[in-house]
Structures are given as structure tokens and as C-alpha cells.
């Protein structure tokens, strides 16, 4: 049996949403998923490591730290539509750095290993922890 190609509805082909248009748009979902796939490949800690949940002080925010072979990655996700501030405590020393893997900015923890993250609604951050 042969089914006809879907031409209408949300799953149908349209002139406005296709691979060529998605590749040309740097803010498209296709390009976002492609960037995350490349970023994920740069973080073997996520697949190979021991992980631990960090206290965020917010029920809407989850933070997971992955440690593997003297390397660490920290991912923080906000599951709320509202912006959420959270304070995280890591095992980092005060002279350590947290590099945001999405926008390449750096953050430093306070003297007690804490740092603050402000997440927009449904926002997320990925950090490389450098000791």
C-alpha cells in the first residue's frame, strides 16, 4: 500500500518551513538542535561520568554536575515559565572558573564555592568547571 504525502496540516509540507529555510535561519530549531548535538559531543562527562544533583533553592530548577577524569560539566535547567534565580554550591575553590559553554562567558564562585545563576523562563545554562 502507498500512502499519499501529507500536504496539509501541521505535518504537511509548506513553503515557509523546510530544511533549506531552517538552515538559512541561524535562530531556527534545526540550527539550535545541531548546536546542542555538537556541544553534547564536546562533553563526554555527560555520558561517562558520575553525576550528582545540586541544591538550587528552587523547586523549578534542576542542576546536575557531571565529574569524569578531572573534568566537570554543570547543567542547569528552569522548568518554570517564570524567571528563577538560584544559588548553587559546587566543590570549586574560590579561584576556579565556570565557563558558560553556550555564550563563552566566565563566572567565578564566591569564597565558599557558591555562585548565583539567573535563568529566564524555561532557560538553561551549561558550564565547564575549571579547577
Amino acid at each position: 500500500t502507498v500512502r499519499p504525502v501529507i500536504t496539509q496540516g501541521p505535518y504537511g509540507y509548506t513553503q515557509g518551513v523546510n530544511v533549506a529555510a531552517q538552515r538559512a535561519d541561524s535562530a531556527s530549531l534545526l540550527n539550535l538542535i545541531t548546536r546542542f548535538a555538537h556541544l553534547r559531543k564536546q562533553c563526554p562527562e555527560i555520558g561517562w561520568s558520575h553525576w550528582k544533583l545540586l541544591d538550587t533553592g528552587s523547586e523549578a530548577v534542576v542542576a546536575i554536575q557531571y565529574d569524569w577524569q578531572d573534568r566537570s560539566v554543570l547543567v542547569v535547567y528552569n522548568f518554570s515559565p517564570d524567571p528563577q534565580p538560584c544559588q548553587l554550591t559546587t566543590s570549586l575553590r574560590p579561584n576556579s572558573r565556570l565557563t558558560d559553554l553556550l555564550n563563552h562567558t566566565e563566572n567565578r564562585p564566591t569564597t565558599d564555592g557558591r555562585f548565583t545563576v539567573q535563568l529566564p523562563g524555561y532557560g538553561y545554562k551549561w558550564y565547564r568547571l575549571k579547577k
Side-chain angles (χ1 to χ4, degrees), residues 46-61:
I46 294 174
W48 291 98
S49 71
H50 297 286
W51 56 272
K52 62 182 172 184
L53 291 173
L54 301 180
D55 182 25
T56 63
S58 171
E59 290 184 5
V61 178

Side-chain angles (χ1 to χ4, degrees), residues 46 99-101 118:
I46 294 174
T99 303
D100 189 322
L101 296 173
Q118 178 70 33

Side-chain angles (χ1 to χ4, degrees), residues 68-116:
W68 182 66
Q69 292 186 349
D70 295 328
R71 297 171 51 156
S72 295
V73 169
L74 173 66
V75 296
V76 187
Y77 295 97
N78 177 10
F79 290 99
S80 167
D82 302 318
Q84 297 287 324
C86 64
Q87 275 229 327
L88 302 171
T89 302
T90 67
S91 56
L92 294 176
R93 295 182 299 273
N95 58 349
S96 303
R97 295 185 317 243
L98 292 100
T99 303
D100 189 322
L101 296 173
L102 300 171
N103 64 18
H104 306 290
T105 59
E106 286 194 356
N107 193 346
R108 292 190 182 272
T110 60
T111 55
D112 60 354
R114 295 179 157 265
F115 73 100
T116 303

Side-chain angles (χ1 to χ4, degrees), residues 16-63:
V17 180
N18 58 47
V19 174
Q22 292 282 300
R23 282 187 178 153
D25 180 5
S26 64
S28 72
L29 180 60
L30 176 64
N31 282 318
L32 176 66
I33 298 301
T34 301
R35 281 192 300 274
F36 266 110
H38 288 282
L39 179 58
R40 168 61 184 84
K41 287 181 180 180
Q42 295 171 12
C43 300
E45 299 91 336
I46 294 174
W48 291 98
S49 71
H50 297 286
W51 56 272
K52 62 182 172 184
L53 291 173
L54 301 180
D55 182 25
T56 63
S58 171
E59 290 184 5
V61 178
V62 65

